[in-house]
């Protein structure tokens, strides 16, 4: 286990590329995911061909509003990851769910292509 900064290249962090079958991100506190196009690209680089990305985040607007004021900017970004952002980054089969057991959360699941996409750096 180690921390991974998706804003930085995986290789520079000694994180293998085309390696992980699944990457799961579920903030446990009121922190929110804020993944830039570069971050999504770096996450995609880490996934093995056909690997799965699963993101879970709160959808309660009142909580989003509170967190964006109460937490430092690097811990609170009340933006969500859009399916179109994942598709633009090269992910395929992007789906969004709101679990019946937890309607205050949204789960986004996306798949890496079977063959790694060639991307211009």
């Amino acid at each position: 286990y180690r921390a991974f900064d998706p804003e930085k290249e995986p290789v520079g962090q000694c994180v293998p590329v085309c390696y992980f079958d699944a990457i799961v991100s579920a903030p446990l506190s009121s922190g929110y995911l804020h993944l830039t196009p570069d971050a999504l690209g770096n996450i995609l680089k880490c996934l093995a061909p056909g690997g799965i990305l699963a993101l879970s985040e709160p959808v309660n607007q009142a909580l989003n509003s509170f967190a964006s004021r109460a937490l430092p900017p690097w811990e609170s970004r009340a933006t969500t990851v859009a399916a179109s952002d994942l598709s633009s980054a090269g992910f395929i089969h992007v789906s969004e769910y709101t679990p019946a057991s937890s309607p205050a959360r949204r789960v986004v699941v996306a798949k890496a292509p079977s063959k790694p996409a060639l991307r211009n750096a």
Side-chain angles (χ1 to χ4, degrees):
Y1 168 80
R2 74 177 81 174
F4 172 64
D5 182 350
E7 293 294 332
K8 298 178 182 173
E9 284 288 327
V11 174
Q13 300 178 72
C14 298
V15 175
V17 296
C18 294
Y19 179 78
F20 297 97
D21 292 323
I23 296 175
V24 177
S25 177
L28 299 177
S29 67
S30 54
Y32 292 85
L33 299 171
H34 177 72
L35 298 173
T36 65
D38 286 342
L40 292 172
N42 287 333
I43 292 169
L44 182 60
K45 288 177 188 177
C46 293
L47 282 170
I52 301 293
L53 172 65
L55 307 171
S56 174
E57 60 187 358
V59 294
N60 183 318
Q61 293 302 318
L63 182 60
N64 284 353
S65 177
F66 169 77
S68 65
R69 291 189 311 269
L71 296 175
W74 61 88
E75 292 182 10
S76 170
R77 296 191 173 107
T79 49
T80 58
V81 178
S84 60
D85 295 337
L86 290 162
S87 296
S88 295
F91 287 91
I92 59 172
H93 306 297
V94 180
S95 301
E96 298 182 44
Y97 306 94
T98 302
S101 62
S102 183
R105 297 202 69 78
R106 179 177 80 114
V107 177
V108 180
V109 178
K111 185 176 178 181
S114 296
K115 295 181 181 180
L118 298 177
R119 300 176 61 96
N120 294 331

